[in-house]
Amino acid sequence: MKPNELKKWRAEKYGMERTFTMITGKTIKVLDVEPECKDEIGYTSADGKIHLAYDHPIMDKLKADEKAAFRKGVFAHEMLHQIFTDFRAHEQIVKTLPAKERQVFAMLANILEDPSIEYWASTVIGGPLL
């Protein structure tokens, strides 16, 4: 990433952190996707931080401003997980499962959660973020 791109990316992530604080009243860190998760476009880590990909093959045909809008949408989705998902309950259930079943449970839980949080999004966010 070029220095100017890196500066813009840092500012974009900082703006998302501020948006999160304005909406939830809480602070959060928005970080890059970890190298071992390079195929992900975004996720919330176990420590409650939002991770976003600056670039991803799904965005290859988008212009720079469209990529920024796409990343903001992924951020909004992850923020909704922070608002609506009971991570503590999720972790308690995961701890009771055999190691081989944990990833399957997490995937199924996410499949069920995603449409729910998108459906209820308008109760906590609006405008371009929605």
Side-chain angles (χ1 to χ4, degrees), residues 51-72:
H51 296 257
L52 298 174
Y54 174 74
D55 208 10
H56 187 276
I58 202 168
M59 295 186 268
D60 281 350
K61 295 184 180 183
L62 300 178
K63 298 174 189 167
D65 60 332
E66 294 169 329
K67 286 181 181 185
F70 185 88
R71 287 188 296 267
K72 196 169 196 173

Side-chain angles (χ1 to χ4, degrees), residues 3 5 9 11 29 32 35 37 41 43 61 65 78 81 95-97 101 106 113 122:
E5 281 180 296
W9 177 225
K29 292 300 294 175
D32 292 341
C37 301
I41 56 175
Y43 58 90
K61 295 184 180 183
D65 60 332
E78 291 305 322
H81 270 297
K95 287 178 186 177
T96 68
L97 299 172
E101 294 177 14
E113 284 178 320
S122 64

Side-chain angles (χ1 to χ4, degrees), residues 81-121:
H81 270 297
Q82 293 285 331
I83 294 168
F84 292 122
T85 302
D86 187 343
F87 289 102
R88 188 171 294 132
H90 178 87
E91 286 304 311
Q92 287 175 340
I93 293 168
V94 167
K95 287 178 186 177
T96 68
L97 299 172
K100 292 179 181 181
E101 294 177 14
R102 291 177 183 172
Q103 187 175 3
V104 174
F105 173 80
M107 183 176 40
L108 291 173
N110 194 59
I111 288 169
L112 294 171
E113 284 178 320
D114 281 355
S116 299
I117 64 173
E118 297 289 337
Y119 178 81
W120 292 105

